[in-house]
Amino acid sequence: MGVILRRGITHGYGVHQELTAWRADTWTSVKPGSIYHALEKLESHGMIRAVESGDAAKRGPARTEYTLTDEGRLELESILKAALKSNDFQQLAAGIAFMELLPRRQVLTLLEERLASLRQTVAFLQTLPTEPIPSNPSKHPELVGMWVGYIRYAIETTETLISSLQAGKYLFIDEKSN
Protein backbone atom coordinates (compact mmCIF):
# COMPACT_ATOMS: atom_id res chain seq x y z
CA MET A 1 0.00 0.00 0.00
CA GLY A 2 2.91 2.30 0.69
CA VAL A 3 4.24 1.95 -2.85
CA ILE A 4 0.79 2.67 -4.26
CA LEU A 5 0.43 5.75 -2.06
CA ARG A 6 3.87 7.01 -3.06
CA ARG A 7 3.19 6.51 -6.76
CA GLY A 8 -0.44 7.64 -6.65
CA ILE A 9 -1.51 5.10 -9.25
CA THR A 10 0.39 1.98 -10.19
CA HIS A 11 0.05 -1.61 -11.31
CA GLY A 12 1.46 -4.84 -9.88
CA TYR A 13 4.59 -4.72 -11.99
CA GLY A 14 5.19 -1.13 -10.85
CA VAL A 15 5.03 -2.27 -7.22
CA HIS A 16 7.46 -5.09 -8.04
CA GLN A 17 9.86 -2.70 -9.82
CA GLU A 18 9.82 -0.30 -6.88
CA LEU A 19 10.50 -3.02 -4.31
CA THR A 20 13.24 -4.52 -6.47
CA ALA A 21 14.89 -1.11 -6.85
CA TRP A 22 14.93 -0.81 -3.05
CA ARG A 23 16.38 -4.31 -2.70
CA ALA A 24 13.43 -5.01 -0.44
CA ASP A 25 14.05 -8.73 -0.89
CA THR A 26 16.97 -8.33 1.54
CA TRP A 27 14.74 -7.13 4.40
CA THR A 28 11.32 -8.56 3.55
CA SER A 29 9.88 -11.81 2.27
CA VAL A 30 8.00 -10.23 -0.67
CA LYS A 31 8.00 -12.33 -3.85
CA PRO A 32 6.61 -11.24 -7.26
CA GLY A 33 3.68 -13.68 -7.14
CA SER A 34 2.71 -12.55 -3.66
CA ILE A 35 2.38 -8.95 -4.89
CA TYR A 36 -0.46 -9.83 -7.27
CA HIS A 37 -2.15 -11.96 -4.63
CA ALA A 38 -1.85 -9.09 -2.14
CA LEU A 39 -3.30 -6.61 -4.66
CA GLU A 40 -6.33 -8.87 -5.23
CA LYS A 41 -6.83 -9.24 -1.49
CA LEU A 42 -6.43 -5.51 -0.85
CA GLU A 43 -8.96 -4.74 -3.57
CA SER A 44 -11.46 -7.26 -2.19
CA HIS A 45 -11.13 -5.62 1.24
CA GLY A 46 -11.66 -2.12 -0.16
CA MET A 47 -8.12 -0.91 0.61
CA ILE A 48 -7.29 -0.18 -3.04
CA ARG A 49 -9.42 0.28 -6.14
CA ALA A 50 -8.80 -0.19 -9.84
CA VAL A 51 -8.62 3.05 -11.84
CA GLU A 52 -8.43 4.09 -15.46
CA SER A 53 -4.83 4.62 -16.45
CA GLY A 54 -5.60 7.50 -18.80
CA ASP A 55 -2.98 6.10 -21.15
CA ALA A 56 -4.57 5.72 -24.57
CA ALA A 57 -1.42 4.25 -26.14
CA LYS A 58 -1.54 0.48 -26.40
CA ARG A 59 1.84 -0.88 -25.36
CA GLY A 60 0.95 -4.47 -24.72
CA PRO A 61 -1.49 -6.36 -22.52
CA ALA A 62 -3.82 -4.25 -20.41
CA ARG A 63 -2.68 -3.70 -16.86
CA THR A 64 -4.92 -3.07 -13.93
CA GLU A 65 -3.78 0.04 -12.13
CA TYR A 66 -4.66 0.80 -8.54
CA THR A 67 -4.93 3.69 -6.16
CA LEU A 68 -5.37 3.69 -2.40
CA THR A 69 -8.85 4.25 -0.97
CA ASP A 70 -9.50 6.31 2.17
CA GLU A 71 -9.90 3.03 4.05
CA GLY A 72 -6.56 1.88 2.66
CA ARG A 73 -4.87 5.09 3.82
CA LEU A 74 -6.20 4.56 7.34
CA GLU A 75 -5.06 0.94 7.34
CA LEU A 76 -1.61 1.88 6.05
CA GLU A 77 -1.30 4.49 8.78
CA SER A 78 -2.26 1.90 11.39
CA ILE A 79 0.26 -0.61 10.00
CA LEU A 80 3.03 2.01 9.95
CA LYS A 81 2.34 3.03 13.55
CA ALA A 82 2.57 -0.58 14.71
CA ALA A 83 5.70 -1.21 12.62
CA LEU A 84 7.59 1.77 14.05
CA LYS A 85 7.05 0.45 17.58
CA SER A 86 7.78 -3.16 16.66
CA ASN A 87 10.73 -5.24 17.81
CA ASP A 88 10.33 -7.45 14.73
CA PHE A 89 13.09 -6.48 12.29
CA GLN A 90 11.08 -6.89 9.07
CA GLN A 91 8.14 -4.89 10.41
CA LEU A 92 10.43 -2.15 11.71
CA ALA A 93 12.32 -2.03 8.40
CA ALA A 94 9.06 -1.55 6.50
CA GLY A 95 8.00 1.13 8.98
CA ILE A 96 11.24 3.02 8.48
CA ALA A 97 11.02 2.66 4.70
CA PHE A 98 7.63 4.40 4.73
CA MET A 99 7.93 6.58 7.84
CA GLU A 100 7.81 9.81 5.81
CA LEU A 101 4.16 9.03 5.01
CA LEU A 102 3.39 10.03 8.61
CA PRO A 103 4.00 13.38 10.31
CA ARG A 104 7.51 13.78 11.79
CA ARG A 105 6.27 14.36 15.37
CA GLN A 106 4.15 11.21 15.22
CA VAL A 107 7.11 9.14 14.02
CA LEU A 108 9.26 10.53 16.83
CA THR A 109 6.59 9.67 19.40
CA LEU A 110 6.30 6.11 18.06
CA LEU A 111 10.07 5.61 18.08
CA GLU A 112 10.27 6.98 21.62
CA GLU A 113 7.62 4.42 22.64
CA ARG A 114 9.74 1.72 20.98
CA LEU A 115 12.80 2.96 22.85
CA ALA A 116 10.98 2.81 26.21
CA SER A 117 9.83 -0.73 25.45
CA LEU A 118 13.36 -1.80 24.49
CA ARG A 119 14.77 -0.33 27.71
CA GLN A 120 12.18 -2.22 29.75
CA THR A 121 13.12 -5.41 27.90
CA VAL A 122 16.83 -4.98 28.75
CA ALA A 123 15.96 -4.28 32.38
CA PHE A 124 13.89 -7.48 32.46
CA LEU A 125 16.54 -9.58 30.71
CA GLN A 126 19.15 -8.42 33.21
CA THR A 127 17.04 -9.84 36.05
CA LEU A 128 17.01 -13.33 34.55
CA PRO A 129 18.90 -15.83 36.65
CA THR A 130 21.80 -17.57 34.97
CA GLU A 131 23.72 -20.66 35.96
CA PRO A 132 27.31 -21.66 35.11
CA ILE A 133 25.96 -25.07 34.12
CA PRO A 134 22.45 -24.09 32.91
CA SER A 135 19.60 -26.37 33.88
CA ASN A 136 17.61 -25.00 30.91
CA PRO A 137 18.27 -22.60 28.01
CA SER A 138 16.67 -19.60 29.73
CA LYS A 139 19.42 -19.76 32.35
CA HIS A 140 22.32 -19.96 29.90
CA PRO A 141 24.57 -16.93 30.54
CA GLU A 142 25.69 -16.71 26.90
CA LEU A 143 22.14 -16.84 25.58
CA VAL A 144 20.90 -14.18 28.02
CA GLY A 145 23.97 -12.10 27.16
CA MET A 146 23.17 -12.34 23.44
CA TRP A 147 19.59 -11.22 24.06
CA VAL A 148 20.79 -8.24 26.11
CA GLY A 149 23.37 -7.34 23.44
CA TYR A 150 20.79 -7.55 20.65
CA ILE A 151 18.33 -5.31 22.48
CA ARG A 152 21.07 -2.84 23.46
CA TYR A 153 22.01 -2.57 19.79
CA ALA A 154 18.34 -1.96 18.94
CA ILE A 155 18.31 0.79 21.58
CA GLU A 156 21.44 2.38 20.10
CA THR A 157 20.13 2.38 16.53
CA THR A 158 16.73 3.69 17.62
CA GLU A 159 18.41 6.53 19.55
CA THR A 160 20.46 7.36 16.44
CA LEU A 161 17.35 7.46 14.27
CA ILE A 162 15.52 9.65 16.79
CA SER A 163 18.48 12.06 16.88
CA SER A 164 18.52 12.23 13.08
CA LEU A 165 14.82 13.01 12.96
CA GLN A 166 15.10 15.61 15.71
CA ALA A 167 17.89 17.26 13.70
CA GLY A 168 15.51 17.61 10.75
CA LYS A 169 16.77 14.76 8.59
CA TYR A 170 14.35 13.44 5.93
CA LEU A 171 11.19 15.06 4.60
CA PHE A 172 7.85 14.02 6.06
CA ILE A 173 4.32 14.26 4.73
CA ASP A 174 3.48 17.24 6.95
CA GLU A 175 6.51 19.13 5.62
CA LYS A 176 5.98 18.66 1.88
CA SER A 177 4.52 21.59 -0.03
CA ASN A 178 1.55 20.92 -2.26
Side-chain angles (χ1 to χ4, degrees):
M1 287 190 298
V3 171
I4 294 171
L5 182 58
R6 266 200 184 131
R7 286 183 159 214
I9 296 173
T10 195
H11 45 78
Y13 185 67
V15 172
H16 179 259
Q17 284 179 310
E18 189 91 8
L19 294 175
T20 300
W22 300 349
R23 299 199 42 138
D25 58 314
T26 62
W27 48 271
T28 69
S29 57
V30 175
K31 305 285 184 249
S34 67
I35 292 170
Y36 294 99
H37 176 72
L39 290 172
E40 289 173 11
K41 191 171 183 177
L42 288 169
E43 186 177 26
S44 73
H45 286 96
M47 302 293 166
I48 61 175
R49 66 179 170 79
V51 295
E52 292 292 324
S53 69
D55 185 2
K58 181 80 172 156
R59 295 180 300 218
R63 294 181 181 165
T64 304
E65 293 190 308
Y66 299 97
T67 190
L68 221 54
T69 63
D70 290 339
E71 187 177 346
R73 286 177 191 266
L74 290 173
E75 181 64 16
L76 176 60
E77 185 177 318
S78 176
I79 290 168
L80 288 175
K81 288 177 184 178
L84 288 167
K85 295 189 296 184
S86 178
N87 288 334
D88 178 270
F89 181 77
Q90 287 188 348
Q91 288 180 24
L92 177 63
I96 291 171
F98 292 101
M99 69 183 174
E100 83 282 354
L101 299 175
L102 297 172
R104 179 184 300 272
R105 184 69 239 156
Q106 188 173 45
V107 172
L108 282 165
T109 298
L110 294 165
L111 290 171
E112 287 163 358
E113 288 177 29
R114 178 177 197 272
L115 190 56
S117 172
L118 290 169
R119 287 181 174 144
Q120 289 175 343
T121 301
V122 165
F124 167 75
L125 289 172
Q126 290 174 324
T127 68
L128 293 178
T130 59
E131 299 170 348
I133 311 279
S135 56
N136 66 55
S138 70
K139 294 184 180 182
H140 199 296
E142 301 304 324
L143 185 56
V144 172
M146 287 174 63
W147 291 338
V148 169
Y150 173 79
I151 301 299
R152 282 186 177 153
Y153 178 72
I155 288 170
E156 180 184 322
T157 57
T158 302
E159 288 171 337
T160 300
L161 179 55
I162 289 171
S163 293
S164 293
L165 299 182
Q166 288 171 333
K169 196 168 184 182
Y170 310 113
L171 187 63
F172 288 79
I173 197 162
D174 57 332
E175 301 162 347
K176 295 177 182 177
S177 61
N178 293 333

